Amino acid sequence: MHAELEAEREHYDDDHSALSTSSSFSSTSSSCSVPFSFSPALTAGPPWRHVEPNGNQDHYSSVAGFGVTGLTFTELDWTTVEHRFDRLASTRNVPEPVVKWSDFGYCVGKPECQEMNVKLSAQKRHRLPGEWIQRSPEISNEILKALRGRRECKVDITKKELHRYWLRMTDPSINYRIQLFFDMIDRNMDGRITEVDIKQTILMSATANKLSVTHEEAEEHAGLVMEALDTHHHNQGYLQASQLESLFELSMPLGSSYASSVQHQNGLYQEPISRAEIMFRSYWRRGWIILFWLMICVALFAWKFIQYSHRTAFQVMGYCLCTAKGAAETLKFNMAIILLPVCRNSITWLRKNRRISSVIPFNDNINFHKLIAGGIVVGVILHGGTHLACDFPRISGSDSSIFRQTIAARFGYHQPSYIQILATTEVATGIAMVVLMSIAFSLATKWPRRQSPSLPRSVRQVTGYNTFWYSHHLFIFVYALLIVHSMFLFLTSNVTEKTTWIYIAIPVLLYAGERIFRAVRSRFYEIEVLKVSFYPGKVLSLKLNKPKGFNHKGGMYTFLQCPQISPFEWHPFSLTSGPADDHLSVHIRTLGDWSYQLYSLFQEAVLTGAKELPKIYIDGPYGAASQDYIKYDIVVLIGLGIGATPFISILKDIANGLQNTQLDQVCSSQKGPLKAYLYWVTREQSSFDWFRDIMKEISKPNLKQSVIEIHNFLTSIYQEGNVRSALISIIQALYYRKTGIDIVSRTPVRTHFARPNWLNVFSKLARKHRGARIVSANTGINMGVFYCGPSGLARELERLCTKFSTKTNTRFVFHKENY
């Protein structure tokens, strides 16, 4: 699906999507004014609990202490800080090693930047600054000034000074950390923080976290902080250090406490089942299909191998002939069935049948298509390679008497040379097929199809999705050549042995019929573009009228064609409209050549006020892995970037279903999830604009059930508790308490900072839904995890599903969108 293809090109680094090993919780659930629950999830942050060296836990036991103890200035140990210092240190014209004051941020900066930066020379690092200096130089400078008491900051730092600063930044005293945070904001060091000081710090924090905050908004937020404390401190007009603790207390989400975030774990690790059983339950459908396919291939190979071992030609070519003919038989079979996984209409129709879909893994159709392609590659190498390297040399170089006694009649009683064999129709068509398949297979691999930056620039210019799409149609000629190739065989004139057409007839007719049906159906759909919207990140949203007879389920997708771009290209996109909506909607991220042209066409039409918008054809709907959400009582939807698109229609479907149930005052007979979680991870604040209206629509206070939980994560923000995001976190909580709107996403859904800690997320789900079972025997509760995004995180999530299914009594079933 195009949504997934674009999501995988969001430039998420491996360390971004990697599983965090932190076991800490983020801030706990907050109440919401709407019936849906938007409780914060667990993030990869530092531990909230902190015990003073003297054992005093007074601050820890208080709500304020719970908020303040997470405040961190650096997460690096001294060994790492010292190593960074040594990498940058200079001894030029000074008695002892020093680093520049501007390198302070790097020395005590983010841990994940360490490996990237320590490998660079100091000169190169200054020429190509890393994230540590791009994101928050102002914040680092303000921390340094606070540590130096606002003395001259632009002087070099010795190792002793850096160690002293590190000790102060990591001081376990809560009061000291509050004082240092206060000094960082208090620029004139008069012991008072004014509204102007807060506004300036807000703007700095916003820049460090890549947030869009205007001066007017910063002034409003600063006023909100002053207003919150003035209520408790008699309108002083400024803040003192002692008041910061109460500021943290006021900013805590409603109803939060440490006890609510750390749940009792009794029962979490009960009734475990073996890893083998989990693997069997998760993969048995894939396993039997692959095993069945392999058995057929082996049987066909063995049948032909044995058959030709008894032919007279065996005396000339030996086992080379048997191997080539056995591989040819598997090739005929695989060239036939490779078309079946891409017969999308047939698969969509078949998967509606519960009995069939319970034994055939339709969600892995593209993976099976790729597996068969791999089988074809092996077959071509065995068949063609054995012929060229063994059979043909033996024919041309065999003893004349043996040749006359065995296969001479097949060659008109003339023993051909190697060149003459290559010039025959059989060999020429075979070589042509190999060339065409090599081109198609090569351009269908991941790097060329997605124009990987690792490819040479000259290669990237002739690759991409369009190149993949057009090159794949070379198989029309391949199948034609295959028929010709099978009609001219060296060693037989018996028509009954020329069985290639028998293998491929039905699959080719089925696939051709589907393509014709899709072309006709798409022209019968009357499509009108009702609304065009443009969002940051070059995202195009199209609202289309819903054709008569177009019925889809949540999670499905459709193909789009724009004849002004190409009358042949069809591209798949997830539907973001609910099944009950009277319209269709798609969100298209502009990353490929076709989507870029589509964006430009609509942008030009809107800007010029054209009377008619570009024509759009649709084809679908088609089934996807996400539509299986209906099978589960608990669903966990995880989307990265534009990868959230398949899940928007699912949430709308669930919300509409609950609304209809309430209006009808009867329970719906249709099976559906009892609880749905959406974890949306994105790296840019502007991404929230894509689905802002939909989020607001879903969160309308019209239901009594708390069924949907949405968790937004913005990875550009430093993790909760970091000094660079502390003030943003405070303002977020205060503003949400006052208005019910999150200042980051500008929706009722609160935004969490940094990437999720998936280990903690799954731990929380396992505790909350103890005993949730895999679908089996239609009994008990079952939980499905659906993911759309880069494959790196998919492997981690699948591993976690297996881990928690084997070690707890909660069962997770993992699904990934495969297109």
Side-chain angles (χ1 to χ4, degrees):
M1 186 181 292
H2 203 80
E4 193 227 13
L5 296 182
E6 292 177 329
E8 292 196 21
R9 296 166 64 181
E10 283 261 4
H11 305 296
Y12 285 98
D13 295 328
D14 290 340
D15 68 313
H16 168 84
S17 59
L19 173 68
S20 171
T21 57
S22 172
S23 59
S24 62
F25 288 179
S26 72
S27 56
T28 55
S29 302
S30 61
S31 61
C32 183
S33 59
V34 298
F36 293 97
S37 174
F38 302 104
S39 59
L42 305 169
T43 58
W48 285 111
R49 179 168 183 172
H50 172 76
V51 181
E52 297 284 346
N54 60 6
N56 186 356
Q57 299 186 36
D58 291 341
H59 284 286
Y60 158 64
S61 61
S62 69
V63 174
F66 171 69
V68 176
T69 52
L71 182 63
T72 60
F73 292 86
T74 181
E75 299 168 26
L76 301 180
D77 55 38
W78 171 244
T79 303
T80 303
V81 174
E82 185 179 28
H83 180 65
R84 292 188 177 190
F85 178 93
D86 293 338
R87 295 286 297 182
L88 296 177
S90 171
T91 57
R92 186 181 303 172
N93 300 325
V94 290
E96 58 180 315
V98 296
V99 296
K100 294 183 178 180
W101 65 271
S102 56
D103 289 328
F104 173 77
Y106 165 69
C107 291
V108 299
K110 296 188 69 179
E112 55 264 40
C113 300
Q114 176 186 1
E115 296 302 322
M116 174 183 68
N117 286 287
V118 296
K119 295 178 182 179
L120 300 175
S121 64
Q123 182 180 4
K124 184 177 180 181
R125 185 157 49 248
H126 285 296
R127 188 168 65 249
L128 298 172
E131 182 184 16
W132 56 276
I133 196 170
Q134 289 178 342
R135 289 190 61 179
S136 57
E138 296 87 357
I139 295 288
S140 299
N141 293 343
E142 292 302 318
I143 295 175
L144 181 58
K145 290 178 182 178
L147 291 167
R148 286 181 163 177
R150 295 290 166 178
R151 297 190 303 273
E152 176 59 36
C153 181
K154 297 184 178 181
V155 295
D156 294 341
I157 305 173
T158 65
K159 183 181 290 189
K160 290 182 179 179
E161 288 175 326
L162 183 62
H163 185 241
R164 185 169 65 251
Y165 296 154
W166 177 84
L167 288 174
R168 293 171 64 185
M169 294 171 67
T170 57
D171 193 296
S173 170
I174 296 173
N175 291 331
Y176 184 81
R177 271 181 280 170
I178 293 177
Q179 183 63 53
L180 183 57
F181 184 53
F182 182 91
D183 292 341
M184 189 190 77
I185 303 175
D186 182 16
R187 300 194 172 208
N188 56 9
M189 298 296 288
D190 61 354
R192 298 178 179 183
I193 294 178
T194 64
E195 188 171 332
V196 174
D197 292 329
I198 296 175
K199 175 184 174 181
Q200 291 176 333
T201 306
I202 291 172
L203 292 173
M204 279 196 310
S205 298
T207 301
N209 292 282
K210 300 181 181 179
L211 295 179
S212 175
V213 176
T214 64
H215 284 270
E216 292 75 15
E217 289 174 332
E219 188 172 345
E220 178 187 359
H221 298 332
L224 182 64
V225 173
M226 299 300 297
E227 178 185 346
L229 288 176
D230 279 352
T231 304
H232 294 76
H233 298 280
H234 313 293
N235 300 317
Q236 295 178 123
Y238 60 86
L239 304 181
Q240 295 178 318
S242 60
Q243 296 174 245
L244 275 187
E245 182 173 336
S246 57
L247 178 62
F248 278 95
E249 181 178 354
L250 287 171
S251 68
M252 291 300 297
L254 296 173
S256 65
S257 68
Y258 182 81
S260 65
S261 68
V262 180
Q263 302 179 20
H264 194 53
Q265 295 194 20
N266 287 344
L268 178 60
Y269 293 95
Q270 295 176 357
E271 301 178 10
I273 61 178
S274 67
R275 181 181 179 86
E277 184 177 351
I278 286 294
M279 298 298 286
F280 175 78
R281 291 186 176 189
S282 300
Y283 300 110
W284 72 269
R285 292 188 299 170
R286 303 179 196 175
W288 86 261
I289 286 288
I290 295 174
L291 182 61
F292 184 59
W293 171 70
L294 287 174
M295 289 173 61
I296 293 177
C297 290
V298 171
L300 290 173
F301 184 91
W303 171 51
K304 280 296 177 181
F305 188 95
I306 295 172
Q307 185 183 83
Y308 272 83
S309 66
H310 295 89
R311 298 285 179 92
T312 56
F314 181 79
Q315 300 177 38
V316 176
M317 290 172 277
Y319 288 107
C320 294
L321 173 64
C322 302
T323 302
K325 289 300 182 179
E329 204 67 19
T330 64
L331 271 174
K332 291 187 283 186
F333 170 68
N334 285 327
M335 288 296 291
I337 65 171
I338 196 172
L339 296 173
L340 299 181
V342 290
C343 292
R344 300 179 186 271
N345 281 295
S346 301
I347 290 177
T348 301
W349 177 72
L350 287 172
R351 71 188 299 154
K352 293 178 182 178
N353 187 301
R354 283 289 184 91
R355 293 183 179 179
I356 298 177
S357 61
S358 64
V359 296
I360 298 179
F362 291 115
N363 294 336
D364 291 304
N365 63 315
I366 297 302
N367 286 334
F368 189 51
H369 178 75
K370 295 176 181 178
L371 179 63
I372 299 170
I376 290 175
V377 171
V378 173
V380 167
I381 293 173
L382 282 177
H383 178 70
T386 307
H387 270 330
L388 293 172
C390 184
D391 289 336
F392 299 163
R394 288 194 176 192
I395 292 174
S396 60
S398 65
D399 183 84
S400 300
S401 60
I402 296 177
F403 178 80
R404 286 195 301 269
Q405 295 171 12
T406 53
I407 59 175
R410 303 266 63 87
F411 293 90
Y413 297 98
H414 168 70
Q415 187 171 3
S417 66
Y418 189 86
I419 300 299
Q420 289 174 330
I421 295 175
L422 294 181
T424 60
T425 303
E426 301 93 313
V427 180
T429 54
I431 293 175
M433 282 191 293
V434 171
V435 171
L436 293 176
M437 285 193 289
S438 299
I439 296 172
F441 283 171
S442 299
L443 295 175
T445 54
K446 181 179 179 180
W447 289 357
R449 183 159 52 98
R450 307 213 175 143
Q451 291 182 312
S452 173
S454 60
L455 294 173
R457 184 174 181 181
S458 58
V459 176
R460 289 203 306 270
Q461 292 176 347
V462 293
T463 58
Y465 186 85
N466 285 351
T467 305
F468 151 74
W469 175 254
Y470 286 117
S471 65
H472 238 53
H473 286 77
L474 291 174
F475 277 96
I476 296 174
F477 303 101
V478 171
Y479 279 96
L481 290 170
L482 182 62
I483 296 296
V484 175
H485 181 76
S486 66
M487 291 294 105
F488 295 87
L489 298 179
F490 287 130
L491 305 177
T492 182
S493 57
N494 189 348
V495 178
T496 59
E497 292 190 24
K498 300 177 180 180
T499 57
T500 301
W501 69 272
I502 299 176
Y503 278 97
I504 69 174
I506 294 178
V508 167
L509 289 175
L510 178 62
Y511 182 75
E514 279 217 0
R515 294 296 295 266
I516 294 171
F517 171 74
R518 290 169 58 181
V520 173
R521 180 179 60 178
S522 64
R523 294 306 184 268
F524 271 101
Y525 283 152
E526 295 182 3
I527 299 301
E528 179 185 356
V529 179
L530 304 177
K531 183 181 179 181
V532 180
S533 301
F534 303 96
Y535 294 111
K538 284 191 175 295
V539 172
L540 171 67
S541 174
L542 298 179
K543 182 178 180 181
L544 314 171
N545 71 301
K546 192 172 185 177
K548 186 177 180 180
F550 191 100
N551 299 313
H552 73 282
K553 297 179 181 179
M556 284 186 160
Y557 66 98
T558 185
F559 281 86
L560 297 184
Q561 184 204 76
C562 180
Q564 287 183 240
I565 300 176
S566 171
F568 306 109
E569 290 185 46
W570 291 87
H571 292 263
F573 295 94
S574 298
L575 289 165
T576 52
S577 52
D581 292 342
D582 59 356
H583 65 276
L584 302 176
S585 64
V586 291
H587 287 69
I588 303 170
R589 182 76 186 269
T590 305
L591 289 174
D593 41 12
W594 186 89
S595 58
Y596 179 83
Q597 294 179 63
L598 187 71
Y599 185 94
S600 300
L601 275 177
F602 277 97
Q603 187 179 49
E604 182 181 359
V606 171
L607 293 177
T608 59
K611 295 182 179 180
E612 293 186 2
L613 294 171
K615 185 67 177 177
I616 291 291
Y617 293 111
I618 68 169
D619 173 40
Y622 293 103
S626 299
Q627 77 176 84
D628 289 341
Y629 78 94
I630 199 71
K631 299 178 181 179
Y632 297 91
D633 298 309
I634 310 296
V635 294
V636 181
L637 313 172
I638 302 173
L640 267 61
I642 201 68
T645 50
F647 308 133
I648 298 300
S649 62
I650 292 176
L651 295 182
K652 294 185 72 173
D653 187 26
I654 295 173
N656 290 334
L658 292 171
Q659 182 177 3
N660 293 336
T661 298
Q662 186 190 51
L663 293 176
D664 296 340
Q665 296 297 315
V666 293
C667 292
S668 173
S669 60
Q670 182 180 2
K671 179 178 172 61
L674 303 174
K675 187 77 174 180
Y677 300 88
L678 172 65
Y679 294 88
W680 183 22
V681 185
T682 184
R683 63 190 180 95
E684 296 175 351
Q685 182 189 14
S686 58
S687 302
F688 294 125
D689 293 345
W690 304 344
F691 308 119
R692 178 171 293 133
D693 294 338
I694 297 175
M695 294 288 185
K696 290 180 178 179
E697 179 183 347
I698 292 175
S699 61
K700 287 180 180 177
N702 55 2
L703 300 174
K704 294 182 179 179
Q705 302 95 329
S706 180
V707 175
I708 298 177
E709 287 191 18
I710 302 178
H711 305 276
N712 291 339
F713 291 85
L714 184 58
T715 60
S716 68
I717 304 183
Y718 285 86
Q719 61 192 24
E720 294 170 350
N722 191 290
V723 67
R724 294 163 180 79
S725 62
L727 194 55
I728 298 295
S729 181
I730 290 171
I731 295 169
Q732 179 196 46
L734 292 176
Y735 194 83
Y736 191 87
R737 179 187 288 265
K738 180 179 180 180
T739 66
I741 299 296
D742 179 69
I743 61 170
V744 178
S745 66
R746 297 181 176 87
T747 69
V749 184
R750 290 194 63 175
T751 302
H752 310 291
F753 302 164
R755 64 181 182 270
N757 183 324
W758 295 112
L759 179 63
N760 284 346
V761 168
F762 277 76
S763 297
K764 182 178 180 180
L765 291 171
R767 284 192 297 270
K768 191 172 183 179
H769 302 286
R770 294 172 187 155
R773 299 287 177 176
I774 290 179
V775 181
S776 61
N778 295 322
T779 59
I781 298 177
N782 46 80
M783 182 181 296
V785 179
F786 297 86
Y787 171 73
C788 184
S791 56
L793 180 56
R795 290 188 291 270
E796 293 292 345
L797 295 175
E798 188 170 16
R799 186 179 66 83
L800 282 173
C801 286
T802 302
K803 175 182 178 180
F804 278 89
S805 295
T806 54
K807 295 186 177 181
T808 73
N809 61 2
T810 303
R811 309 295 178 241
F812 297 85
V813 188
F814 182 75
H815 300 271
K816 181 184 183 297
E817 294 288 351
N818 295 301
Y819 308 101

